[in-house]
Amino acid sequence: MKKEIELRKQMNIDELNDLDEDTRLEIEGFRTGTYLRLEIHDVPYEMVEHFDPHHPILVGGIGLGEENVGFMQARLKRHRWHKKVLKTRDPIIVSVGWRRYQTIPVYAIEDSNGRHRMLKYTPEHMHCLAMFFGPLAPPNTGVVAIQNLSNNQASFRITATAVVLEFNHAAKIMKKLKLVGEPCKIFKKTALIKNMFTSDLEIARFEGAAIRTVSGIRGQVKKAAKEEIGNQPKKKGGQPKEGIARCTFEDKIKMSDIVFLRAWTQVEVPEFYNPLTTALQSRDQTWQGMKTTAELRREKNLPIPVNKDSLYKPIERKPRKFNPVVIPKSLQAQLPFPSKPKDMPSRAKPLLENRRAVVMEPHQRKVRTMVQHLQLIKHHKMNKRKMKEDKKKKELEVQKAKEEAISKKRRREERRERYRQQEKSKKKTRRNVD
């Protein structure tokens, strides 16, 4: 089959060699290695001005789907030789397919329930998801990320490697949200909570959410309570205050309780990408894109802002004193005797047995001293016996380990001898068969 293909190919070449160039070009088309002249319109003048023939330009093509821009999801891992971890919303330069551009990624990890939870930093020795905005690339496209293009970088330049999973516009990245409030008015098992929400619209969004106090009492957000709390200001000519929620709890809470709500909120991925324009400037200049927050702080000599609420402090809580349980007398009469409260009146003076000093006789002191000596001798004997047993146990373990080693060596030798005999018998059988 191959000989027929080679013969047919050689016959075609011989036939085409006899034709002139124009006819051969119409039949065969442009051959490999033919020089072409490309005419490109709307080229910036900087590209012609800073053109360097020592750096050739590669010409390629992209598919129809790659002309659009959108959100891409990639599986990313920080390079093992890069010293620092990557931070969410720090700009990086990515090389995807034919394109190089700067973008702002948001890192996340997929939980067991399918939720994409935002990560502040990339994990150590582990993959994570990165979502960023830019020109779309087909799945399974390789991605290389770097921090900047300067040539005086001492450390390893490649910060991360990734592969495009999909361009998903519907994927949501969530992060934890903790809202803290305090009660302003308490009813039986209902309370009005303030300083947790800023408006009634925000309360409507969190209706039915589970809340909890520091003491462990669980509750639920019902609805906005501006009518109840606004009665008094309305009488005085004021407007009802917004952001106060009516909540129900399992038990009655106190004014000193702190109420908090744990929820999830969506993180928006910045719609930013900046194409690299290194061909529009001279090779001596370094392309400069968006700087990271750390670089701006370093240039302007600004300190890192410290949030006092984020600092770790020792928790000091005063012990809470609860009122004693009061059982009505009508209910006490119906209770069985073991469940009835036993009211023992406290004595003003302690009993005589507690106040009386014990003075022993000389004979009693001798007996007590003798008993103490006997107990001391007993403890000493028990400790001595225990030490002797421990020593004997260690000696037995050492002896057992030696015997096990000898037995293991003997079994190995027996196994070798048995295998040797089996191999000899196999060879003998093979010779007899031949």
Side-chain angles (χ1 to χ4, degrees):
M1 190 70 180
K2 289 184 179 179
K3 290 182 180 180
E4 293 180 3
I5 294 173
E6 290 294 332
L7 184 62
R8 174 62 62 185
K9 187 177 179 182
Q10 190 61 38
M11 290 173 61
N12 292 340
I13 292 173
D14 294 339
E15 289 293 333
L16 291 171
N17 287 336
D18 297 339
L19 302 175
D20 59 296
E21 287 295 327
D22 296 335
T23 310
R24 182 170 182 173
L25 187 63
E26 290 179 1
I27 297 172
E28 189 183 16
F30 293 102
R31 283 174 287 174
T32 305
T34 307
Y35 286 94
L36 302 177
R37 177 183 175 182
L38 296 177
E39 291 187 4
I40 304 174
H41 301 277
D42 301 329
V43 178
Y45 76 93
E46 292 92 349
M47 189 169 181
V48 180
E49 183 179 348
H50 300 293
F51 177 71
D52 187 0
H54 296 288
H55 293 82
I57 298 173
L58 295 177
V59 180
I62 59 175
L64 295 175
E66 300 180 47
E67 296 179 358
N68 303 324
V69 294
F71 293 101
M72 280 188 294
Q73 199 177 67
R75 186 173 65 247
L76 179 135
K77 184 181 180 183
R78 181 182 66 88
H79 201 282
R80 66 178 71 180
W81 292 347
H82 189 67
K83 295 180 180 179
K84 297 182 179 179
V85 295
L86 305 181
K87 187 179 179 182
T88 290
R89 296 180 183 275
D90 266 2
I92 58 172
I93 299 169
V94 295
S95 174
V96 188
W98 287 98
R99 301 179 187 271
R100 290 187 306 162
Y101 54 89
Q102 190 181 40
T103 184
I104 300 177
V106 174
Y107 305 117
I109 193 167
E110 188 173 355
D111 292 337
S112 57
N113 57 358
R115 182 196 295 121
H116 291 172
R117 175 167 51 87
M118 190 195 83
L119 297 175
K120 193 173 182 182
Y121 300 99
T122 53
E124 289 282 346
H125 316 297
M126 192 172 143
H127 288 88
C128 67
L129 296 175
M131 184 169 280
F132 53 90
F133 185 80
L136 300 178
N140 295 328
T141 304
V143 181
V144 177
I146 57 176
Q147 204 78 44
N148 52 48
L149 296 178
S150 61
N151 293 323
N152 56 1
Q153 190 172 348
S155 59
F156 194 68
R157 187 186 298 271
I158 297 175
T159 58
T161 55
V163 60
V164 177
L165 299 178
E166 57 180 347
F167 29 89
N168 191 355
H169 300 270
K172 294 181 181 179
I173 297 178
M174 313 294 286
K175 72 173 181 179
K176 288 181 180 179
L177 178 68
K178 190 174 183 180
L179 302 177
V180 181
E182 54 193 21
C184 61
K185 196 172 181 181
I186 298 174
F187 305 100
K188 193 172 183 181
K189 289 188 180 180
T190 306
L192 304 180
I193 307 300
K194 64 178 182 179
N195 298 335
M196 182 180 283
F197 305 103
T198 57
S199 65
D200 293 348
L201 187 64
E202 193 174 350
I203 297 172
R205 184 182 176 189
F206 286 95
E207 281 184 6
I211 57 176
R212 196 167 71 90
T213 64
V214 177
S215 56
I217 301 173
R218 296 173 295 183
Q220 190 180 23
V221 178
K222 288 300 182 182
K223 57 173 65 177
K226 63 182 179 181
E227 294 298 331
E228 291 94 334
I229 204 68
N231 288 335
Q232 192 175 354
K234 278 184 180 178
K235 292 179 182 177
K236 296 181 179 179
Q239 293 295 326
K241 188 177 179 182
E242 288 198 354
I244 295 177
R246 182 168 64 84
C247 307
T248 57
F249 295 90
E250 293 175 329
D251 198 0
K252 188 175 181 180
I253 65 172
K254 292 193 171 185
M255 292 295 289
S256 59
D257 276 330
I258 298 173
V259 184
F260 57 90
L261 183 148
R262 287 178 177 171
W264 294 86
T265 183
Q266 187 176 353
V267 179
E268 298 293 336
V269 181
E271 294 188 13
F272 168 82
Y273 89 96
N274 186 13
L276 263 68
T277 55
T278 52
L280 303 183
Q281 59 187 18
S282 62
R283 295 287 172 179
D284 302 333
Q285 297 177 353
T286 303
W287 185 86
Q288 182 63 53
M290 180 186 288
K291 297 180 180 178
T292 62
T293 310
E295 290 174 349
L296 293 174
R297 285 193 188 128
R298 208 177 298 120
E299 288 179 3
K300 298 184 179 180
N301 200 15
L302 295 174
I304 298 174
V306 178
N307 187 4
K308 292 182 180 180
D309 294 335
S310 298
L311 297 176
Y312 289 98
K313 294 175 287 187
I315 300 173
E316 296 178 0
R317 291 196 184 99
K318 296 179 181 179
R320 297 181 62 178
K321 295 180 70 175
F322 294 94
N323 296 328
V325 179
V326 179
I327 303 176
K329 291 184 178 180
S330 59
L331 183 59
Q332 285 186 25
Q334 299 175 13
L335 291 175
F337 181 76
S339 302
K340 286 183 179 180
K342 312 299 186 294
D343 295 330
M344 298 292 290
S346 59
R347 289 178 173 270
K349 291 182 180 181
L351 293 171
L352 182 61
E353 287 81 2
N354 298 334
R355 289 187 290 117
R356 183 170 53 193
V358 179
V359 180
M360 290 187 290
E361 298 280 339
H363 177 68
Q364 291 177 341
R365 281 200 297 270
K366 286 182 181 180
V367 171
R368 185 179 180 186
T369 306
M370 182 63 69
V371 171
Q372 287 179 348
H373 288 174
L374 290 173
Q375 287 180 348
L376 183 62
I377 291 169
K378 181 184 176 183
H379 290 318
H380 181 68
K381 283 184 177 180
M382 289 180 68
N383 290 336
K384 194 173 180 181
R385 188 184 301 163
K386 189 177 180 182
M387 289 172 63
K388 193 174 180 181
E389 288 177 356
D390 291 343
K391 185 178 179 182
K392 191 176 179 181
K393 190 176 179 181
K394 287 182 181 177
E395 290 176 356
L396 286 173
E397 288 178 355
V398 172
Q399 184 67 24
K400 191 176 180 180
K402 288 182 180 178
E403 291 176 358
E404 184 67 26
I406 294 170
S407 176
K408 190 176 180 181
K409 186 177 180 181
R410 187 178 67 252
R411 286 198 301 269
R412 187 168 63 246
E413 293 295 333
E414 289 175 356
R415 220 168 26 246
R416 285 181 179 175
E417 185 65 27
R418 188 169 66 252
Y419 292 157
R420 199 179 294 117
Q421 294 295 334
Q422 289 177 0
E423 189 64 27
K424 284 183 180 179
S425 62
K426 285 182 181 178
K427 286 182 179 178
K428 190 175 180 181
T429 308
R430 217 177 289 125
R431 279 199 301 269
N432 294 335
V433 171
D434 294 341

PDB file of all heavy atoms in Angstrom, residues 85-104:
ATOM      1  N   VAL A  85       3.285  33.876  47.792  1.00  0.00           N
ATOM      2  CA  VAL A  85       1.949  33.437  47.365  1.00  0.00           C
ATOM      3  C   VAL A  85       1.274  34.574  46.602  1.00  0.00           C
ATOM      4  O   VAL A  85       1.656  35.740  46.732  1.00  0.00           O
ATOM      5  CB  VAL A  85       1.087  33.021  48.580  1.00  0.00           C
ATOM      6  CG1 VAL A  85       1.678  31.812  49.265  1.00  0.00           C
ATOM      7  CG2 VAL A  85       0.947  34.162  49.560  1.00  0.00           C
ATOM      8  N   LEU A  86       0.285  34.226  45.800  1.00  0.00           N
ATOM      9  CA  LEU A  86      -0.434  35.220  45.002  1.00  0.00           C
ATOM     10  C   LEU A  86      -1.671  35.668  45.750  1.00  0.00           C
ATOM     11  O   LEU A  86      -2.348  34.862  46.407  1.00  0.00           O
ATOM     12  CB  LEU A  86      -0.824  34.624  43.649  1.00  0.00           C
ATOM     13  CG  LEU A  86       0.327  34.047  42.822  1.00  0.00           C
ATOM     14  CD1 LEU A  86      -0.198  33.510  41.510  1.00  0.00           C
ATOM     15  CD2 LEU A  86       1.399  35.080  42.570  1.00  0.00           C
ATOM     16  N   LYS A  87      -1.983  36.933  45.652  1.00  0.00           N
ATOM     17  CA  LYS A  87      -3.106  37.517  46.371  1.00  0.00           C
ATOM     18  C   LYS A  87      -4.239  37.828  45.395  1.00  0.00           C
ATOM     19  O   LYS A  87      -3.996  38.256  44.260  1.00  0.00           O
ATOM     20  CB  LYS A  87      -2.660  38.793  47.091  1.00  0.00           C
ATOM     21  CG  LYS A  87      -3.704  39.392  48.001  1.00  0.00           C
ATOM     22  CD  LYS A  87      -3.159  40.627  48.689  1.00  0.00           C
ATOM     23  CE  LYS A  87      -4.208  41.252  49.582  1.00  0.00           C
ATOM     24  NZ  LYS A  87      -3.730  42.486  50.225  1.00  0.00           N
ATOM     25  N   THR A  88      -5.469  37.614  45.861  1.00  0.00           N
ATOM     26  CA  THR A  88      -6.630  37.934  45.033  1.00  0.00           C
ATOM     27  C   THR A  88      -6.667  39.426  44.714  1.00  0.00           C
ATOM     28  O   THR A  88      -6.353  40.257  45.567  1.00  0.00           O
ATOM     29  CB  THR A  88      -7.917  37.517  45.767  1.00  0.00           C
ATOM     30  OG1 THR A  88      -7.977  36.087  45.810  1.00  0.00           O
ATOM     31  CG2 THR A  88      -9.147  38.023  45.063  1.00  0.00           C
ATOM     32  N   ARG A  89      -7.032  39.749  43.487  1.00  0.00           N
ATOM     33  CA  ARG A  89      -7.153  41.119  42.968  1.00  0.00           C
ATOM     34  C   ARG A  89      -5.800  41.812  42.787  1.00  0.00           C
ATOM     35  O   ARG A  89      -5.750  43.025  42.596  1.00  0.00           O
ATOM     36  CB  ARG A  89      -8.073  41.986  43.846  1.00  0.00           C
ATOM     37  CG  ARG A  89      -9.516  41.502  43.861  1.00  0.00           C
ATOM     38  CD  ARG A  89     -10.373  42.395  44.741  1.00  0.00           C
ATOM     39  NE  ARG A  89     -11.734  41.906  44.831  1.00  0.00           N
ATOM     40  CZ  ARG A  89     -12.704  42.163  43.971  1.00  0.00           C
ATOM     41  NH1 ARG A  89     -12.447  42.921  42.931  1.00  0.00           N
ATOM     42  NH2 ARG A  89     -13.912  41.666  44.133  1.00  0.00           N
ATOM     43  N   ASP A  90      -4.703  41.059  42.842  1.00  0.00           N
ATOM     44  CA  ASP A  90      -3.410  41.618  42.451  1.00  0.00           C
ATOM     45  C   ASP A  90      -3.236  41.388  40.954  1.00  0.00           C
ATOM     46  O   ASP A  90      -3.379  40.250  40.485  1.00  0.00           O
ATOM     47  CB  ASP A  90      -2.283  40.948  43.219  1.00  0.00           C
ATOM     48  CG  ASP A  90      -1.900  41.713  44.468  1.00  0.00           C
ATOM     49  OD1 ASP A  90      -2.559  42.740  44.739  1.00  0.00           O
ATOM     50  OD2 ASP A  90      -0.965  41.306  45.181  1.00  0.00           O
ATOM     51  N   PRO A  91      -2.928  42.423  40.158  1.00  0.00           N
ATOM     52  CA  PRO A  91      -2.826  42.240  38.700  1.00  0.00           C
ATOM     53  C   PRO A  91      -1.669  41.329  38.325  1.00  0.00           C
ATOM     54  O   PRO A  91      -0.575  41.413  38.906  1.00  0.00           O
ATOM     55  CB  PRO A  91      -2.625  43.669  38.185  1.00  0.00           C
ATOM     56  CG  PRO A  91      -2.103  44.432  39.338  1.00  0.00           C
ATOM     57  CD  PRO A  91      -2.678  43.819  40.558  1.00  0.00           C
ATOM     58  N   ILE A  92      -1.892  40.440  37.367  1.00  0.00           N
ATOM     59  CA  ILE A  92      -0.851  39.562  36.832  1.00  0.00           C
ATOM     60  C   ILE A  92      -0.909  39.631  35.308  1.00  0.00           C
ATOM     61  O   ILE A  92      -1.924  40.005  34.726  1.00  0.00           O
ATOM     62  CB  ILE A  92      -1.019  38.106  37.309  1.00  0.00           C
ATOM     63  CG1 ILE A  92      -2.391  37.558  36.892  1.00  0.00           C
ATOM     64  CG2 ILE A  92      -0.815  37.979  38.799  1.00  0.00           C
ATOM     65  CD1 ILE A  92      -2.555  36.069  37.151  1.00  0.00           C
ATOM     66  N   ILE A  93       0.195  39.284  34.685  1.00  0.00           N
ATOM     67  CA  ILE A  93       0.291  39.240  33.225  1.00  0.00           C
ATOM     68  C   ILE A  93       0.193  37.780  32.806  1.00  0.00           C
ATOM     69  O   ILE A  93       0.986  36.948  33.270  1.00  0.00           O
ATOM     70  CB  ILE A  93       1.596  39.879  32.735  1.00  0.00           C
ATOM     71  CG1 ILE A  93       1.653  41.351  33.150  1.00  0.00           C
ATOM     72  CG2 ILE A  93       1.731  39.744  31.232  1.00  0.00           C
ATOM     73  CD1 ILE A  93       2.993  41.990  32.952  1.00  0.00           C
ATOM     74  N   VAL A  94      -0.780  37.453  31.966  1.00  0.00           N
ATOM     75  CA  VAL A  94      -0.992  36.069  31.536  1.00  0.00           C
ATOM     76  C   VAL A  94      -0.702  35.957  30.048  1.00  0.00           C
ATOM     77  O   VAL A  94      -0.920  36.893  29.272  1.00  0.00           O
ATOM     78  CB  VAL A  94      -2.434  35.598  31.848  1.00  0.00           C
ATOM     79  CG1 VAL A  94      -2.666  35.556  33.337  1.00  0.00           C
ATOM     80  CG2 VAL A  94      -3.461  36.471  31.175  1.00  0.00           C
ATOM     81  N   SER A  95      -0.187  34.799  29.680  1.00  0.00           N
ATOM     82  CA  SER A  95       0.037  34.459  28.274  1.00  0.00           C
ATOM     83  C   SER A  95      -0.873  33.291  27.939  1.00  0.00           C
ATOM     84  O   SER A  95      -0.659  32.169  28.409  1.00  0.00           O
ATOM     85  CB  SER A  95       1.504  34.095  28.047  1.00  0.00           C
ATOM     86  OG  SER A  95       1.698  33.644  26.729  1.00  0.00           O
ATOM     87  N   VAL A  96      -1.926  33.575  27.159  1.00  0.00           N
ATOM     88  CA  VAL A  96      -2.947  32.583  26.804  1.00  0.00           C
ATOM     89  C   VAL A  96      -3.016  32.506  25.295  1.00  0.00           C
ATOM     90  O   VAL A  96      -3.455  33.461  24.646  1.00  0.00           O
ATOM     91  CB  VAL A  96      -4.327  32.964  27.389  1.00  0.00           C
ATOM     92  CG1 VAL A  96      -5.314  31.836  27.169  1.00  0.00           C
ATOM     93  CG2 VAL A  96      -4.226  33.298  28.852  1.00  0.00           C
ATOM     94  N   GLY A  97      -2.583  31.381  24.750  1.00  0.00           N
ATOM     95  CA  GLY A  97      -2.658  31.226  23.298  1.00  0.00           C
ATOM     96  C   GLY A  97      -1.781  32.253  22.599  1.00  0.00           C
ATOM     97  O   GLY A  97      -0.584  32.379  22.860  1.00  0.00           O
ATOM     98  N   TRP A  98      -2.402  33.042  21.681  1.00  0.00           N
ATOM     99  CA  TRP A  98      -1.679  34.071  20.941  1.00  0.00           C
ATOM    100  C   TRP A  98      -1.669  35.410  21.669  1.00  0.00           C
ATOM    101  O   TRP A  98      -1.113  36.374  21.153  1.00  0.00           O
ATOM    102  CB  TRP A  98      -2.316  34.262  19.557  1.00  0.00           C
ATOM    103  CG  TRP A  98      -2.037  33.141  18.603  1.00  0.00           C
ATOM    104  CD1 TRP A  98      -2.840  32.087  18.316  1.00  0.00           C
ATOM    105  CD2 TRP A  98      -0.855  32.961  17.816  1.00  0.00           C
ATOM    106  NE1 TRP A  98      -2.252  31.253  17.413  1.00  0.00           N
ATOM    107  CE2 TRP A  98      -1.023  31.774  17.073  1.00  0.00           C
ATOM    108  CE3 TRP A  98       0.329  33.692  17.662  1.00  0.00           C
ATOM    109  CZ2 TRP A  98      -0.056  31.298  16.203  1.00  0.00           C
ATOM    110  CZ3 TRP A  98       1.295  33.215  16.793  1.00  0.00           C
ATOM    111  CH2 TRP A  98       1.095  32.037  16.074  1.00  0.00           C
ATOM    112  N   ARG A  99      -2.283  35.497  22.821  1.00  0.00           N
ATOM    113  CA  ARG A  99      -2.472  36.807  23.467  1.00  0.00           C
ATOM    114  C   ARG A  99      -1.669  36.887  24.753  1.00  0.00           C
ATOM    115  O   ARG A  99      -1.468  35.898  25.466  1.00  0.00           O
ATOM    116  CB  ARG A  99      -3.951  37.043  23.770  1.00  0.00           C
ATOM    117  CG  ARG A  99      -4.852  37.001  22.552  1.00  0.00           C
ATOM    118  CD  ARG A  99      -6.286  37.229  22.988  1.00  0.00           C
ATOM    119  NE  ARG A  99      -7.234  37.037  21.910  1.00  0.00           N
ATOM    120  CZ  ARG A  99      -7.633  37.984  21.068  1.00  0.00           C
ATOM    121  NH1 ARG A  99      -7.144  39.213  21.183  1.00  0.00           N
ATOM    122  NH2 ARG A  99      -8.515  37.724  20.123  1.00  0.00           N
ATOM    123  N   ARG A 100      -1.240  38.103  25.059  1.00  0.00           N
ATOM    124  CA  ARG A 100      -0.634  38.447  26.350  1.00  0.00           C
ATOM    125  C   ARG A 100      -1.314  39.712  26.853  1.00  0.00           C
ATOM    126  O   ARG A 100      -1.373  40.720  26.125  1.00  0.00           O
ATOM    127  CB  ARG A 100       0.867  38.694  26.225  1.00  0.00           C
ATOM    128  CG  ARG A 100       1.702  37.463  25.942  1.00  0.00           C
ATOM    129  CD  ARG A 100       3.174  37.781  26.007  1.00  0.00           C
ATOM    130  NE  ARG A 100       3.514  38.899  25.134  1.00  0.00           N
ATOM    131  CZ  ARG A 100       4.637  39.607  25.242  1.00  0.00           C
ATOM    132  NH1 ARG A 100       5.504  39.330  26.198  1.00  0.00           N
ATOM    133  NH2 ARG A 100       4.889  40.598  24.408  1.00  0.00           N
ATOM    134  N   TYR A 101      -1.800  39.659  28.063  1.00  0.00           N
ATOM    135  CA  TYR A 101      -2.485  40.836  28.600  1.00  0.00           C
ATOM    136  C   TYR A 101      -2.435  40.787  30.118  1.00  0.00           C
ATOM    137  O   TYR A 101      -2.154  39.741  30.737  1.00  0.00           O
ATOM    138  CB  TYR A 101      -3.934  40.916  28.100  1.00  0.00           C
ATOM    139  CG  TYR A 101      -4.761  39.682  28.337  1.00  0.00           C
ATOM    140  CD1 TYR A 101      -5.489  39.503  29.513  1.00  0.00           C
ATOM    141  CD2 TYR A 101      -4.825  38.676  27.377  1.00  0.00           C
ATOM    142  CE1 TYR A 101      -6.248  38.371  29.727  1.00  0.00           C
ATOM    143  CE2 TYR A 101      -5.575  37.537  27.580  1.00  0.00           C
ATOM    144  CZ  TYR A 101      -6.290  37.402  28.755  1.00  0.00           C
ATOM    145  OH  TYR A 101      -7.030  36.273  28.962  1.00  0.00           O
ATOM    146  N   GLN A 102      -2.705  41.925  30.716  1.00  0.00           N
ATOM    147  CA  GLN A 102      -2.750  42.040  32.177  1.00  0.00           C
ATOM    148  C   GLN A 102      -4.202  41.989  32.627  1.00  0.00           C
ATOM    149  O   GLN A 102      -5.066  42.634  32.036  1.00  0.00           O
ATOM    150  CB  GLN A 102      -2.094  43.345  32.634  1.00  0.00           C
ATOM    151  CG  GLN A 102      -1.893  43.425  34.133  1.00  0.00           C
ATOM    152  CD  GLN A 102      -1.254  44.738  34.540  1.00  0.00           C
ATOM    153  OE1 GLN A 102      -1.594  45.786  33.990  1.00  0.00           O
ATOM    154  NE2 GLN A 102      -0.342  44.704  35.492  1.00  0.00           N
ATOM    155  N   THR A 103      -4.458  41.226  33.684  1.00  0.00           N
ATOM    156  CA  THR A 103      -5.814  41.077  34.184  1.00  0.00           C
ATOM    157  C   THR A 103      -5.793  40.981  35.698  1.00  0.00           C
ATOM    158  O   THR A 103      -4.718  40.854  36.307  1.00  0.00           O
ATOM    159  CB  THR A 103      -6.481  39.837  33.567  1.00  0.00           C
ATOM    160  OG1 THR A 103      -7.834  39.762  33.986  1.00  0.00           O
ATOM    161  CG2 THR A 103      -5.766  38.569  33.983  1.00  0.00           C
ATOM    162  N   ILE A 104      -6.974  41.020  36.300  1.00  0.00           N
ATOM    163  CA  ILE A 104      -7.106  40.947  37.763  1.00  0.00           C
ATOM    164  C   ILE A 104      -7.885  39.677  38.090  1.00  0.00           C
ATOM    165  O   ILE A 104      -9.096  39.622  37.879  1.00  0.00           O
ATOM    166  CB  ILE A 104      -7.831  42.192  38.317  1.00  0.00           C
ATOM    167  CG1 ILE A 104      -7.038  43.452  37.975  1.00  0.00           C
ATOM    168  CG2 ILE A 104      -8.033  42.078  39.824  1.00  0.00           C
ATOM    169  CD1 ILE A 104      -7.709  44.734  38.424  1.00  0.00           C
TER     170      ILE A 104
END
